Amino acid sequence: MAFNIPNDLAQTFKENKSSFLIGAGLSIPAGLPSWNGLLEYMIEKYSGLPYKLDEKLDDYKMLLTDPNNLLMIAEDLKETLSLKVYNDILEEKFGQPDVKPTENHELIIKLNPQFIITLNYDRLIENAFNKINGYFPNFFTYKQSREAANSFWKGKFFVFKAHGDAFSDSSNLILTQKDYRKVLFRENGYRSLIQTMFTSKSMLMLGLSMTDPEFKLLLEYLHDSYHTGGPTHYLLIEKDKACNTTMKRYLDDFNIQTITFDNADGSYKEITEFLKKLYTDVNA
């Protein structure tokens, strides 16, 4: 598939005015679970517990059919599983430090953004950076917004792990709606930093869908914060997961221009093609 990269997007990367927001979809080709995959695994663990309730398992299966219920399921599983089992699952699935990055992660690093915001808990971005540059980058979680802001103002590259890091601290990952709202209301530095990032850089969003619960919460917060002001952002998404009405609302309500691609064989190879074409255009 031949992509026509928006001229403004390529230009902002040339001028160091663009960065990335990365979601779970970019980690799946590296062998990590999707939202549904993670919750299904947690439900499987719950089904093996001696105090399981069959009616609750039936509820989970029914609720999983609607993406709007994912945060609710995560919240309930956090309460239903013991905290140790819950945290151990997150560390098991996302906390491996030697996870191997994909070509997409490497292309993202080669596009030389000032920072990368990731909603993921894994070390794929950091490992891609190390593979290309020979050393690991600074990364900060939502609890280290002050340090991240310092790097931002000094123009130093860093990875901002907005929902935490599973290898270093699996007990403080943001997964449920309650977790997310705690961060928004209690972490003043986080709120200020996210606002600054989105109002000063044009964000290219990858591995996200319009039904991702954490993405929807973030957009709601940003909409209230800057009321569609600032630079245009870009969302790369599968064609069959978007429609004209939704794309218009994203542009009008969130200042996000949607770029669609076909994913007929389910391989997401088009994301790689897009990043290669963007890299070529930026370095032309």
Side-chain angles (χ1 to χ4, degrees), residues 82-112:
S82 71
L83 196 56
K84 182 181 185 308
V85 171
Y86 179 85
N87 290 336
D88 284 350
I89 290 173
L90 293 175
E91 185 172 350
E92 172 194 347
K93 290 298 183 182
F94 301 105
Q96 304 306 314
D98 58 348
V99 62
K100 289 181 171 51
T102 67
E103 184 177 8
N104 291 335
H105 294 96
E106 294 176 25
L107 286 166
I108 286 169
I109 297 299
K110 289 177 180 178
L111 279 161
N112 198 33

Side-chain angles (χ1 to χ4, degrees), residues 75-184:
E75 188 71 57
D76 197 77
L77 282 165
K78 189 173 185 178
E79 295 178 0
T80 302
L81 295 167
S82 71
L83 196 56
K84 182 181 185 308
V85 171
Y86 179 85
N87 290 336
D88 284 350
I89 290 173
L90 293 175
E91 185 172 350
E92 172 194 347
K93 290 298 183 182
F94 301 105
Q96 304 306 314
D98 58 348
V99 62
K100 289 181 171 51
T102 67
E103 184 177 8
N104 291 335
H105 294 96
E106 294 176 25
L107 286 166
I108 286 169
I109 297 299
K110 289 177 180 178
L111 279 161
N112 198 33
Q114 183 194 341
F115 60 83
I116 296 170
I117 304 173
T118 176
L119 305 182
N120 304 329
Y121 316 122
D122 56 65
R123 292 283 179 95
L124 285 165
I125 290 295
E126 295 94 313
N127 290 347
F129 185 95
N130 178 55
K131 182 177 179 179
I132 292 170
N133 296 289
Y135 64 96
F136 285 96
N138 286 328
F139 77 85
F140 308 103
T141 70
Y142 64 91
K143 290 179 171 290
Q144 300 168 299
S145 298
R146 180 177 178 180
E147 294 87 340
N150 185 52
S151 287
F152 178 82
W153 291 117
K154 289 182 177 180
K156 296 180 179 179
F157 176 81
F158 65 97
V159 180
F160 187 60
K161 310 193 81 165
H163 291 172
D165 177 71
F167 178 69
S168 62
D169 189 7
S170 63
S171 63
N172 280 298
L173 300 181
I174 304 302
L175 180 63
T176 71
Q177 190 166 6
K178 187 181 292 184
D179 293 337
Y180 199 90
R181 297 202 182 282
K182 282 181 181 178
V183 172
L184 290 182

Side-chain angles (χ1 to χ4, degrees), residues 65-79:
T65 62
D66 184 350
N68 293 313
N69 295 326
L70 298 184
L71 288 173
M72 181 197 309
I73 300 171
E75 188 71 57
D76 197 77
L77 282 165
K78 189 173 185 178
E79 295 178 0

Side-chain angles (χ1 to χ4, degrees), residues 18 57 75 79 86 95 111 128 134 143 148 176 186 191 199 218 254 277:
S18 278
L57 288 171
E75 188 71 57
E79 295 178 0
Y86 179 85
L111 279 161
K143 290 179 171 290
T176 71
R186 295 183 185 178
R191 297 201 308 271
T199 54
L218 178 63
F254 305 115
K277 180 66 165 58

